[in-house]
């Protein structure tokens, strides 16, 4: 079993009244306390794997930094209650950090929860001018291979995946997490650590398309976001405003492209 799973015993029941004792891997969902420069910023419920990638992606998605070089250190401390990430930002980011903290509560679990000011909740997004070079065949090619690159979900059936895809549909990197937004942050962080961009490719996510995923795509410069489930109205509106091409309900036999 991986670091993000735990064995759990079950009584398997069948329609004919049968009972069997089985043990299977269950995805760990643990609190991850995120601190920036000693300030408690958020507590996320996440899979305890690839947490350095998550720290970088989360800082970028929250607009606390503009470049990974502004993250000076990441200290990871496991604790009996969960995981603690202590992230040190450059002094030049202090004002941004303090301004953002004023509009959050430290126990929020998503980008909108705890925001006290509606204008802060839906801040303007950068407009993506670069287009994805991927065609329809590339989307279906990536879909066909994603399942094979989800070891944690194959083990547990309970986590989401975010994949970096080349224009031809080749999947370059995948990150998994119990939270769809955490998985995307981990992928964005991994790409930032590797110095990689989207380069005409796209992101493929095994989840519904919510507004925060669109925002993370826009902030990372991703020109096209593909999700296997449906969007929300806010996701559609934010995608149109940011110039992110949205492909949803992407399944092996069909997909829907949101009209501009």
């Amino acid at each position: 079993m991986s670091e993000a799973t735990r064995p759990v015993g079950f009584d398997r029941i069948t329609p004919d009244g049968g009972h069997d004792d089985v043990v299977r891997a269950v995805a760990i969902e643990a609190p991850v306390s995120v601190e920036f420069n000693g300030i408690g910023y958020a507590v996320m419920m996440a899979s305890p794997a690839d947490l350095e990638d998550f720290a970088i992606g989360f800082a970028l998605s929250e607009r606390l930094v503009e470049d990974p070089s502004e993250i000076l250190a990441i200290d990871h401390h496991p604790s009996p209650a969960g995981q603690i990430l202590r992230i040190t930002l450059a002094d030049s980011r202090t004002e941004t950090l303090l301004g953002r903290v004023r509009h959050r509560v430290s126990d929020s679990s998503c980008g909108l929860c705890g925001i006290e000011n509606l204008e802060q909740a839906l801040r303007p997004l950068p407009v993506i001018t670069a287009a994805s070079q991927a065609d329809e065949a590339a989307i279906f090619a990536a879909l066909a291979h994603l399942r094979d690159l989800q070891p944690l979900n194959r083990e547990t059936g309970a986590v989401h995946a975010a994949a970096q895809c080349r224009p031809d549909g080749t999947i370059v990197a995948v990150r998994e997490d119990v939270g769809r937004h955490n998985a995307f942050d981990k992928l964005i962080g991994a790409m930032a650590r590797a110095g990689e961009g989207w380069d005409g490719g796209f992101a493929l996510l095994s989840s519904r398309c919510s507004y925060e995923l669109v925002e993370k795509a826009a902030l990372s410069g991703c020109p096209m976001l593909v999700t296997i489930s449906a969007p929300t109205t806010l996701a559609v509106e934010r995608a149109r405003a940011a110039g992110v091409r949205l492909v949803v309900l992407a399944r092996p036999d069909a997909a829907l492209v949101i009209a501009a």
Side-chain angles (χ1 to χ4, degrees):
M1 296 205 179
S2 74
E3 62 181 330
T5 66
R6 182 177 298 138
V8 174
F10 295 89
D11 178 16
R12 180 178 178 271
I13 61 174
T14 57
D16 61 3
H19 290 260
D20 291 300
D21 293 331
V22 298
V23 176
R24 64 169 291 159
V26 173
I28 296 174
E29 184 175 24
V32 178
S33 174
V34 184
E35 301 176 5
F36 290 102
N37 292 3
I39 300 172
Y41 187 84
V43 176
M44 314 295 289
M45 301 306 295
S47 299
D50 301 309
L51 290 180
E52 288 200 8
D53 290 339
F54 170 71
I56 296 170
F58 186 67
L60 289 165
S61 294
E62 285 291 295
R63 308 192 214 189
L64 297 177
V65 298
E66 296 179 353
D67 188 89
S69 64
E70 296 172 313
I71 300 174
L72 304 184
I74 301 171
D75 296 314
H76 173 211
H77 304 277
S79 77
Q83 309 287 324
I84 302 172
L85 284 175
R86 294 192 172 107
I87 305 161
T88 304
L89 306 183
D91 290 342
S92 59
R93 306 308 299 176
T94 300
E95 184 176 347
T96 299
L97 171 62
L98 294 177
R100 186 67 174 151
V101 165
R102 284 195 295 270
H103 297 284
R104 289 189 63 98
V105 295
S106 63
D107 63 351
S108 70
S109 62
C110 68
L112 188 57
C113 303
I115 299 294
E116 298 173 355
N117 185 308
L118 291 179
E119 293 179 357
Q120 283 289 316
L122 298 176
R123 292 173 291 171
L125 294 171
V127 177
I128 305 300
T129 56
S132 173
Q133 303 304 310
D135 59 14
E136 289 84 355
I139 294 171
F140 292 111
L143 279 168
H145 291 97
L146 180 61
R147 183 179 295 274
D148 295 335
L149 300 173
Q150 296 178 251
L152 184 56
N153 191 61
R154 187 163 56 249
E155 206 176 356
T156 66
V159 299
H160 288 294
Q164 173 194 4
C165 306
R166 295 294 189 217
D168 64 357
T170 300
I171 296 177
V172 181
V174 177
R175 290 294 182 271
E176 295 182 275
D177 197 276
V178 290
R180 60 189 184 276
H181 41 80
N182 297 336
F184 203 9
D185 276 338
K186 287 179 178 180
L187 178 67
I188 291 168
M191 292 174 63
R193 292 178 75 183
E196 294 189 3
W198 294 101
D199 301 326
F202 60 98
L204 171 60
L205 276 62
S206 64
S207 67
R208 71 179 175 90
C209 185
S210 53
Y211 89 96
E212 75 267 32
L213 299 180
V214 171
E215 294 198 345
K216 292 178 191 299
L219 290 167
S220 70
C222 181
M224 183 167 75
L225 177 62
V226 182
T227 68
I228 68 168
S229 197
T232 64
T233 56
L234 187 55
V236 173
E237 292 167 7
R238 297 293 269 172
R240 285 173 173 164
V244 175
R245 187 183 185 205
L246 212 55
V247 181
V248 299
L249 286 170
R251 306 295 170 84
D253 59 338
L256 300 180
V257 181
I258 302 296

